[in-house]
Amino acid sequence: MISRRAAALPPSSTATLDAHVKKLVADGADVINLTGGELDFPTPDVACRGGIRAIEDGFTRYTAVAGIAPLRQAIANRLSDKWDCGYDGDDVIVTNGAKQALANVFSVLLDPGDEVVLQAPHWVSFPHMIAVAGGVPVVVETGPDTGYKLDPGTVAERITPHTKVLLLNSPSNPTGVVYDSAELTALARLAADHDLLIVSDEIYSDLVYAGPEFTSVAALGTDAWSRTITVGGFSKTFAMTGWRIGFAAGPQPVIAAMTALQGHTSSAPSSISQRAALSVLHDEPVAELKQRKAELDRRRSLACAGVADLPGLELAVEPRGAFFALVDVSGAYGRQHDGVEIKDAATFAERLLHEVNVAVMPGADFGAPDHIRISYAVSGEDITEAFHRIRGFLSR
Ligand code: PLP
């Protein structure tokens, strides 16, 4: 009944586990949920009021497929001002979250068999989005030797005549790694040498806490600018996951093709959400965002210290951006828990949830089979209590 393409597609493991844990919590279980990909902060008031005003004004109809012009321009201006990217409104399409921007960008760029080079560990959805679009994900393993970053020499070895796109994600989900400008410049040069397009998922660009400042690939010069499609969104920066507003910015033929695709599939995202997004850009709550970032940084320190205190477990790499930490749990392999042997990150996560009510994401679907991903976008108290419970679990 189901096409081969769809049959090969598992549900998103992060969304599935998060939904399961939320149900446990709703049913009254005392679970600490470290699986989520969203902030626990409310959407800023200015955005909410923008959405309410849109409803009151009757701004409730279809909008232009690529999004309302003032929002496209405001996104272009923010990218240009903040990350020095030189975009105009016509270079931007507004989408139903960054997810739709990514799915659509792969659909319009890839012919069957075209290859996309990306790194592991990677966000769970990347390989599936590429495959659904008819492309082939070519996953380059990274590890401690390169600080969990792509090494241009290793990437070069994986480039074939079919390679069309280099996919980058800095700050990274799930490692929290942030590439510096020199590292991105070397990768952009490689892309230029092999005439590759770059898709740069920069959805966590506003959440960098330590180390070098964030660099946008499109800001690296005219060549990088002309071959890069930058993807971003409002979900993480503005705690607006449910509003579903993302965007892509890049060469106009790509934006035009994405607009054609969006016009035949979903149309523009919600008119109300677009107005909310426009309001938050027009009157950005800078002080509030700064304070939230400082709080996330504090939680990052708590999480890193918590991991350092766990016997046998260690951070893959110090997270410097986004709100995740990737933790190597192979040191716990061989332990027996209620007759079950911990033999991989999945059994570790399953036992942890079952025995001490702490939910974490097993790393297999991130291309990190010996790791778990911990989200520190929860309260400091929850982080402290979660690590207390994990220590108890490991001392059993
Ligand atoms: N890209 C990465 C790396 C993510 O982690 C996420 C969400 O978890 C997204 C894109 C999608 O964000 P949204 O569709 O909510 O804008």
Side-chain angles (χ1 to χ4, degrees):
M1 185 198 288
I2 304 298
S3 71
R4 278 194 294 276
R5 199 176 61 243
L9 193 61
S12 161
S13 55
T14 45
T16 306
L17 185 57
D18 196 47
H20 173 62
V21 175
K22 279 180 175 154
K23 179 162 186 328
L24 289 178
V25 173
D27 291 347
D30 172 30
V31 176
I32 299 179
N33 187 3
L34 306 182
T35 66
E38 62 185 342
L39 298 169
D40 61 337
F41 304 129
T43 296
D45 201 44
V46 60
C48 297
R49 279 188 283 107
I52 292 166
R53 254 198 327 274
I55 296 173
E56 287 173 347
D57 292 352
F59 192 72
T60 54
R61 301 189 183 277
Y62 291 135
T63 72
V65 169
I68 54 176
L71 179 57
R72 294 172 75 191
Q73 190 60 51
I75 292 169
N77 292 349
R78 188 176 193 271
L79 291 174
S80 304
D81 295 349
K82 221 167 152 60
W83 313 127
D84 197 16
C85 292
Y87 289 117
D88 188 33
D90 292 343
D91 305 321
V92 173
I93 178 171
V94 186
T95 56
N96 191 58
K99 256 188 184 167
Q100 190 190 25
L102 287 161
N104 285 1
V105 88
F106 292 128
S107 285
V108 304
L109 295 184
L110 302 178
D111 282 313
D114 281 348
E115 295 173 359
V116 178
V117 176
L118 72 158
Q119 79 173 83
H122 52 68
W123 180 44
V124 285
S125 296
F126 285 144
H128 300 301
M129 288 174 162
I130 295 162
V132 164
V136 179
V138 175
V139 178
V140 177
E141 300 292 332
T142 62
D145 54 330
T146 60
Y148 284 84
K149 292 175 182 172
L150 284 171
D151 161 61
T154 313
V155 175
E157 287 166 17
R158 303 294 296 277
I159 292 174
T160 75
H162 301 291
T163 311
K164 181 136 187 216
V165 175
L166 173 63
L167 170 59
L168 299 174
N169 173 216
S170 170
S172 150
N173 176 2
T175 60
V177 153
V178 182
Y179 282 72
D180 69 24
S181 158
E183 291 159 344
L184 290 174
T185 302
L187 289 166
R189 195 171 305 125
L190 184 75
D193 290 346
H194 295 270
D195 200 18
L196 307 181
L197 292 164
I198 299 173
V199 173
S200 186
D201 180 348
E202 302 180 0
I203 189 150
Y204 296 102
S205 53
D206 286 296
L207 300 176
V208 174
Y209 317 101
E213 294 215 331
F214 170 77
T215 302
S216 183
V217 179
L220 293 173
T222 31
D223 183 85
W225 191 84
S226 64
R227 65 177 68 252
T228 299
I229 299 96
T230 304
V231 173
F234 289 65
S235 289
K236 318 291 175 173
T237 299
F238 299 113
M240 289 178 69
T241 39
W243 298 79
R244 309 308 302 130
I245 297 289
F247 57 83
Q252 288 190 8
V254 177
I255 300 303
M258 290 177 72
T259 306
L261 177 61
Q262 189 155 291
H264 288 296
T265 51
S266 62
S267 295
S270 148
S271 58
I272 299 154
S273 297
Q274 289 189 65
R275 275 283 191 84
L278 184 58
S279 297
V280 84
L281 291 190
H282 268 173
D283 194 8
E284 200 168 316
V286 178
E288 186 180 5
L289 296 180
K290 196 170 162 205
Q291 187 263 322
R292 289 178 173 196
K293 198 170 127 182
E295 170 61 13
L296 282 171
D297 192 15
R298 190 181 74 85
R299 297 175 185 183
R300 179 180 76 100
S301 303
L302 272 180
C304 291
V307 177
D309 212 20
L310 296 176
L313 268 55
E314 58 181 329
L315 277 176
V317 58
E318 186 201 341
R320 294 184 161 174
F323 40 75
F324 307 108
L326 194 69
V327 180
D328 185 343
V329 295
S330 60
Y333 289 179
R335 295 173 57 92
Q336 296 288 332
H337 279 252
D338 294 342
V340 179
E341 181 184 336
I342 294 183
K343 54 180 182 346
D344 52 27
T347 42
F348 182 94
E350 191 274 319
R351 284 286 94 200
L352 195 67
L353 180 58
H354 192 76
E355 291 178 34
V356 294
N357 278 343
V358 176
V360 297
M361 278 303 306
D365 291 346
F366 295 90
D370 293 327
H371 297 75
I372 54 168
R373 187 195 71 174
I374 285 176
S375 163
Y376 54 85
V378 298
S379 72
E381 296 73 50
D382 274 359
I383 294 172
T384 305
E385 172 61 17
F387 279 99
H388 175 70
R389 293 186 192 183
I390 301 173
R391 267 197 309 281
F393 171 79
L394 289 170
S395 65
R396 281 187 179 185

